[in-house]
Amino acid sequence: MRITALKTSLAAVVASMDGMLEAAANDNGRDLTAEEQTAFDAKAEEAKGLQAKIAQEEQLLALKSSAATPVTVPGGTTTTANQPGTVPAAVAEKIEPGAMVGRVAIAIAATGGQDQRAMAAHAQGIWGDQTGQIVANMEQSTATKGGYLVDTAYSRDFIGLLRPRVVVRNMGARSVPMPDGNLSMRKQTGTSQAGYVGEREPAPTTGFPVGELKMSAKTLRAIVPITNQLIRRASFGVDAMVRDDLVTSAAIKEDQQFLRGVGSATAPAGLRTLIPAGNVLTISADTSLETVTSDLGRLRLKVINANVPMAKCGYIMSPTVAMFLENLRDANGNKAFPEVAEGRLGIYPIGITTSVPDNLGAGGNESEIYFGDFEQFLIGDTYQVTLAASTEAAYVEDGQVKSAFAQDETLIRLIEEHDTQLRYDSAFAVLTGVTWKP
C-alpha cells in the first residue's frame, strides 16, 4: 500500500537526520557545520512533506472504512433491523514467501499488462479475492514503462528468499532500508584512541574516527522466459515455479556482483573492490600444511588486529579451495581440517560459491579466500520489486538471440534496486593467488 511505502521513506529520512547529529556528537560534541545544517534542514522539510502525505492517506483510509458496506448473502441470518445477513471477515490466505511476486508476474503476462482490471480479474479467478485485490491496488511504476510495483511487504518476502542463495547475504550481511533510493550515514575508518593522563592534562580523543558512507540505488534486471502454455494453465503451484525462476535469476547476478563487482554509477561494488589495499594478502610459495595454516592465520589476523567487532565472521571461498582444505592431511594421514566437511574452518562458517573464480592470475589457475565480519557489509535495499511482461521482446540464451514471439513465450522482467558499502573499511581481508587444488 502507498501508506506503507511513505512510512518506510519517513523512517529512512529520520534515520539520516539522526546519523548527522550522531556524527557531530561523536566529534567532540560539536555543532553541525553550515553545510551539514543545510542538509539537515532539507531532510526536515522532506520529513514534513512525507508526514503530510501520510496524514492524507490515513484520512482516505478512514473515509473508505466508513463508506464500506457489508457483503449480503441471500438467505443469511438477518440482523435485528431485519436486514440481510453478512459474511464475517474471512481469514487471509497464508501465502508462501515470495509467491505473490510469482502471481503478479503471471497476471501481468496472461493479460499483457495493459489493463489492470483484467489483471485483477485474472488473478482473482485463479487465486481468489485476496490476490485479486492486491493486483487491483498495485501502483504503476513511473520509471518502468508498463511495469507494476509489487506491494512492499511482498517485495520484502521476495528479497528475503535471496538470502540463502546469495553467499554474502547468507553469511550475515546487514540489509538496510533505502526506500527513496539514497542513504547517507557515518562509517568507521579507524580505531579509537585512549590513554592515561595526569591532572589537568587534556584527555585524548576516544571516539572512533568516522567518515561518510553513501549508497544510491543501482538497478538489477532479471529476465525469465515463461511458456504461454504454462501461463494459460496457471494454477496453484505455477506461481511458486515462476517465483523460483525469478529468484534464481536475480540471485546468480547478486552473488557475482556482491563478491567481485567493480562498481560504477550503475552497478554496486563487490567485496573484492571494497577491501582496502592494505588488507589484500598473497599466499606463500608452496602448499604445505604449515604454509597453508600460516596463510589462513595471516588472513584472519589482519581483521582481528583492526579491532573489528567480529560479530558475524566467516570465510568465502570456491568449491575447489574448500575441497582442498577438506582433504588436506598431516604427516600421519589425518585430516588437517575435518570441520570443513561440516561447513566451517576452525570456529568460523564457510560460504562456498562458484562466484569466486578458480581461473584468476596470469596462469589462469588462481583463486581467492575472503575473511571478515559480514555484519559490517551493508546492502541498501529499496525493498521494491517491479514487474513487466512482453511477448515481442527478444533475449539471449547460450549466445543465441531468441524471439519470445517465435518461441510462444512471454518474458517476465524483474527489477530490484540496491547498493553496497562497508561500515568499517578494515572489516575484511582477502588472500589472493590461491592455487590450492585437491
Side-chain angles (χ1 to χ4, degrees), residues 209-250:
V210 296
E212 189 175 16
L213 178 156
K214 290 186 177 182
M215 289 191 283
S216 60
K218 310 296 192 299
T219 300
L220 170 64
R221 294 181 177 90
I223 294 180
V224 174
I226 305 174
T227 65
N228 289 328
Q229 184 179 31
L230 183 65
I231 293 172
R232 288 190 289 268
R233 298 178 180 178
S235 62
F236 285 93
V238 175
D239 53 345
M241 184 187 305
V242 173
R243 170 205 65 190
D244 290 344
D245 286 347
L246 290 168
V247 168
T248 298
S249 182

Side-chain angles (χ1 to χ4, degrees), residues 67-212:
T69 56
V71 178
T72 59
V73 181
T77 304
T78 57
T79 65
T80 56
N82 202 28
Q83 295 298 317
T86 60
V87 176
V91 177
E93 174 196 0
K94 186 176 182 181
I95 303 173
E96 276 190 58
M100 187 57 70
V101 171
R103 294 183 181 186
V104 172
I106 292 172
I108 293 174
T111 59
Q114 300 302 312
D115 187 340
Q116 195 163 352
R117 289 174 297 180
M119 291 161 46
H122 182 86
Q124 183 179 24
I126 299 175
W127 297 291
D129 291 346
Q130 182 183 354
T131 301
Q133 191 65 35
I134 289 170
V135 173
N137 289 334
M138 288 190 309
E139 295 181 64
Q140 282 195 286
S141 170
T142 57
T144 305
K145 185 178 180 181
Y148 290 86
L149 302 173
V150 179
D151 183 273
T152 303
Y154 298 110
S155 293
R156 281 179 177 271
D157 280 348
F158 178 86
I159 293 171
L161 293 175
L162 294 171
R163 179 168 289 277
R165 312 256 192 125
V166 181
V167 68
V168 171
R169 288 186 185 270
N170 195 38
M171 293 296 289
R174 181 177 294 181
S175 182
V176 294
M178 196 169 56
D180 61 354
N182 294 281
L183 179 65
S184 296
M185 60 190 299
R186 68 188 187 93
K187 69 174 180 178
Q188 192 171 328
T189 58
T191 58
S192 64
Q193 302 174 14
Y196 295 98
V197 298
E199 186 176 358
R200 295 187 178 181
E201 291 182 359
T205 301
T206 57
F208 287 101
V210 296
E212 189 175 16

Side-chain angles (χ1 to χ4, degrees), residues 24-59:
N26 287 330
D27 188 8
N28 294 323
R30 63 172 175 80
D31 294 331
L32 296 177
T33 64
E35 184 179 355
E36 289 172 337
Q37 187 64 54
T38 300
F40 185 89
D41 292 341
K43 289 290 183 183
E45 286 300 316
E46 185 179 354
K48 288 181 182 178
L50 289 169
Q51 285 177 322
K53 291 180 180 179
I54 291 171
Q56 289 175 342
E57 291 291 335
E58 289 175 338
Q59 184 181 24

Side-chain angles (χ1 to χ4, degrees), residues 334-398:
N334 300 313
K335 285 190 173 183
F337 308 108
E339 70 277 11
V340 173
E342 301 173 0
R344 58 185 174 84
L345 182 54
I347 63 173
Y348 299 110
I350 302 174
I352 299 174
T353 175
T354 54
S355 294
V356 179
D358 289 318
N359 60 350
L360 301 172
N365 63 338
E366 297 177 2
S367 189
E368 297 169 335
I369 300 176
Y370 299 87
F371 178 82
D373 183 357
F374 285 89
E375 196 171 72
Q376 306 303 317
F377 189 102
L378 302 184
I379 302 173
D381 280 310
T382 61
Y383 295 119
Q384 188 68 75
V385 170
T386 304
L387 295 172
S390 173
T391 56
E392 291 82 27
Y395 62 100
V396 178
E397 184 176 75
D398 298 327

